[in-house]
Amino acid sequence: MTRPPAARPLVMGVLNVTPDSFSDGGQWLDPDDAITHARTLVDLGADIVDVGGESTRPGAERVDLAEELDRTIPVVAALAEAGITVSIDTMRAAVASRAVEAGAAYINDVSGGLADPDMAAVAAAAGTDVILMHWRGHSRTMQERISYRDVTGEVVDELTQRAAEFINAGCAPERIVLDPGLGFAKTFAHNWHLIATLPALMALGHRVIVGTSRKGFLGAVGRPEGHPRPPTERDVATAVTSAYLADLGVWAVRVHDVRSTVDALDVSEAVREARRRAEAPDHGGGPQRDPKAWVDR
Ligand code: PMM
């Protein structure tokens, strides 16, 4: 079934080709399994598949460059060859560069260029869209860097500097996408606050993507302390945040479970469409009569 063009945020489906990511580690290490899973994500409505070869969960050790290339590049090449829009989730300029050669359309750098001084030049030369996420350090140390007086103001300022570095290196401003980096050197309260104040980041004028999927703050909400939902039981909570983010007008959401988020985005778009009709001056405020519309309860 072909879906109609999206009047909603794009859906970036997560494909971690790692043994140790927090919710899907080890599941897609075999390239054939990874490619099959990516096709499923696209069939379910993913617009972009984000291929990552390094876990960024708190405390994770870094993978070496050769291993990251081995994990990601064959998968990126196979997906691009199959006509799937691919993003490469990497902090390494060499991986980004090879992935773009293999057909990746987006560079997704969770460090916003801080982990590798060559990333801005590589992104400029590639001419692709580049996602710059708010980040304060590698996984081993990031939880020691959770210190903010004004988390929204500091995230906005730090991402403004990151975007400026990429623009100075030759990236077109419209190629830059910003991400508040939920769960990266943030407490659960910081994550909620950043979602609630997202319009401050959107006001910079760049497209915004947000990754809430299966993160710890969704596991804890509504649960007694010390009894969070496990990561794979956080997809309903993730979908609810996707609908809320759609209402704010984000460009994209990054999720593991594409089906539930696509459903949530379709429902939130239906509400916005009904709101637009209700507010249209020539319309009398009621629903439009369309003889072909489905009639059911
Ligand atoms: N989160 C993770 C990995 N990559 N990329 C972007 N742009 N935004 C995110 O929030 C983000 C990311 C961590 O989640 P995972 O280990 O399940 O992929």
Side-chain angles (χ1 to χ4, degrees):
M1 184 193 68
T2 312
R3 288 177 53 84
R8 51 151 173 85
L10 298 184
V11 176
M12 176 183 276
V14 177
L15 181 62
N16 285 319
V17 196
T18 58
D20 54 345
S21 288
F22 78 101
S23 88
D24 57 352
Q27 280 192 68
W28 319 117
L29 260 180
D30 179 280
D32 289 338
D33 292 345
I35 292 159
T36 304
H37 183 59
R39 287 181 186 276
T40 305
L41 295 176
V42 170
D43 287 345
L44 291 170
D47 303 283
I48 305 166
V49 172
D50 190 38
V51 178
E54 174 173 10
S55 170
T56 51
R57 73 182 156 73
E61 294 292 334
R62 293 218 69 186
V63 62
D64 70 35
L65 170 63
E67 176 74 26
E68 191 182 348
L69 288 167
D70 275 358
R71 289 179 187 173
T72 55
I73 301 305
V75 175
V76 169
L79 298 184
E81 174 76 12
I84 293 174
T85 305
V86 179
S87 125
I88 178 72
D89 186 344
T90 186
M91 294 182 268
R92 288 195 168 106
V95 176
S97 167
R98 289 277 301 279
V100 169
E101 277 167 33
Y106 296 86
I107 299 170
N108 174 22
D109 181 356
V110 298
S111 81
L114 286 171
D116 187 333
D118 296 333
M119 187 63 93
V122 161
T128 58
D129 284 358
V130 57
I131 298 166
L132 304 179
M133 199 192 79
H134 180 261
W135 184 87
R136 282 191 165 176
H138 286 288
S139 298
R140 269 166 60 97
T141 57
M142 71 179 168
Q143 299 308 81
E144 296 156 22
R145 300 182 187 190
I146 307 182
S147 164
Y148 301 91
R149 271 171 298 98
D150 162 14
V151 65
T152 304
E154 288 167 54
V155 166
V156 168
D157 286 351
E158 290 167 34
L159 282 177
T160 302
Q161 287 171 25
R162 300 286 79 235
E165 182 190 311
F166 278 65
I167 292 166
N168 286 339
C171 287
E174 59 274 16
R175 287 287 189 189
I176 293 174
V177 181
L178 300 179
D179 183 324
L182 303 183
F184 288 78
K186 318 281 183 322
T187 63
F188 292 174
H190 289 140
N191 294 337
W192 289 117
H193 188 77
L194 284 164
I195 291 176
T197 58
L198 202 66
L201 179 59
M202 296 173 66
L204 294 180
H206 295 283
R207 288 170 287 163
V208 169
I209 183 170
V210 182
T212 63
S213 192
R214 298 184 178 173
K215 288 184 179 168
F217 73 117
L218 297 182
V221 73
R223 302 280 294 205
E225 198 166 340
H227 299 277
R229 287 177 206 86
T232 50
E233 289 173 27
R234 298 174 190 165
D235 291 330
V236 175
T238 301
V240 173
T241 62
S242 296
Y244 179 72
L245 292 163
D247 231 26
L248 291 180
V250 300
W251 167 73
V253 290
R254 179 183 180 278
V255 297
H256 300 84
D257 187 62
V258 167
R259 185 195 304 268
S260 53
T261 267
V262 167
D263 275 357
L265 293 179
D266 285 346
V267 170
S268 84
E269 176 53 24
V271 172
R272 281 189 300 281
E273 172 64 15
R275 196 187 292 149
R276 284 192 288 274
R277 287 185 191 284
E279 289 167 359
D282 56 347
H283 187 273
Q288 204 173 58
R289 292 232 172 265
D290 172 359
K292 293 194 295 306
W294 292 2
V295 181
D296 204 344
R297 281 201 300 159

